[in-house]
Amino acid sequence: MEILVAVMAGFAVAAVTAPVGISGAVLLLPVQLSALGMHGPAVSATNLLYNVVATPLGLSRLARSARGHGAEMLVATAAAVPCAVAGAAVRVTWLSDPALFRGLLAVLMLAMGARLLAVRRARASAPPPTGAGGARPARGGRALLALAAGGAALFGAAVGIGGGSLLSPLLIGAAGWLTSRAAVVALTTTLATSVVGLTAYAVFDRIGFGAAPAAPDWGVGLALGLGGALGSLVGIGFSRRLGEQPLRFLLGALVTATGVVYLAGLLP
């Protein structure tokens, strides 16, 4: 039953979140904490395992339809890798306190939800894609992208959401990127953060670093990821008919509501 719940949960959240560059891990944290009774740094590690399994298929589908972002993807990945290790270290030490972790999770969810609900459709004059046939990103633009991706990876690895869920709303809302462009870079950041962060959690657990066990629940994580991989393909295909704005609004409402519930202390 636990595995079935995990597969269904992974499918449902990925179908809504993948089209806007978010892996869905942020909405799977309540499933693990409440429905599955998991706790501690292992929750974050299991969420990153979900990302490792669920993200590649959706990312490959998005990358085929939004070519020319290779330079941006490399910048984001390079910034995310060291910050993911730092984020995992913070989680197994300072953020091992459950109350502190839930408080940070609530704040992040409220901020993400507000940003998703506030963004408007990007204008046609949004910056052109980079790479073959496109202009190379300005030095200042690369620096800002690296800073944003690094910060997203730090928090993403610590909480277990990968980072794309933080980066995508920022790129869409603050930088004015088209959703398709932001989604590719955000999911790339999520995948890099998740692979490196999951490795860091496994190493920390192996050497006994930190205040609590940090190894992921491999069965739950793989089941979540399998559902997420299928859900991301369905969601990306469906979004082409539905459009971006309804999905953004739905996702923003879900994330905001979950953050409010956590902040109010209604979930254990």
Side-chain angles (χ1 to χ4, degrees):
M1 179 61 69
E2 182 181 79
I3 298 300
L4 179 60
V5 170
V7 172
M8 293 175 63
F11 180 90
V13 299
V16 177
T17 58
V20 293
I22 298 178
S23 72
V26 65
L27 293 175
L28 290 175
L29 286 170
V31 174
Q32 293 188 61
L33 292 171
S34 300
L36 300 179
M38 299 174 63
H39 57 85
V43 172
S44 298
T46 302
N47 246 25
L48 294 182
L49 175 57
Y50 157 81
N51 283 338
V52 171
V53 178
T55 303
L57 280 177
L59 178 58
S60 64
R61 176 72 66 87
L62 285 174
R64 285 198 298 269
S65 60
R67 299 182 184 278
H69 304 302
E72 295 163 341
M73 294 164 73
L74 287 174
V75 169
T77 299
V81 167
C83 293
V85 177
V90 169
R91 176 66 169 106
V92 300
T93 53
W94 183 56
L95 281 178
S96 61
D97 179 7
L100 188 60
F101 176 72
R102 287 190 177 94
L104 176 61
L105 178 59
V107 171
L108 289 176
M109 282 187 159
L110 289 173
M112 287 168 47
R115 174 62 68 182
L116 283 166
L117 291 173
V119 297
R120 299 176 180 176
R121 184 181 296 275
R123 298 187 301 269
S125 58
T130 60
R136 296 181 64 84
R139 188 179 300 274
R142 291 198 299 267
L144 289 175
L145 174 59
L147 181 63
L154 177 66
F155 285 102
V159 179
I161 59 177
S165 53
L166 300 174
L167 184 59
S168 182
L170 179 64
L171 295 177
I172 294 170
W177 284 25
L178 293 170
T179 301
S180 59
R181 181 187 181 198
V184 172
V185 176
L187 282 182
T188 299
T189 302
T190 289
L191 183 57
T193 300
S194 299
V195 171
V196 175
L198 178 61
T199 302
Y201 278 113
V203 171
F204 292 158
D205 185 74
R206 180 73 175 178
I207 66 178
F209 176 72
D217 185 316
W218 294 97
V220 170
L222 291 173
L224 289 170
L226 175 61
L230 299 175
S232 64
L233 293 179
V234 172
I236 290 170
F238 184 67
S239 68
R240 294 170 181 169
R241 299 182 180 180
L242 183 63
E244 297 172 359
Q245 288 295 93
L247 284 175
R248 277 196 238 161
F249 181 81
L250 175 60
L251 180 57
L254 287 173
V255 172
T256 301
T258 307
V260 169
V261 171
Y262 267 101
L263 197 62
L266 297 180
L267 292 180

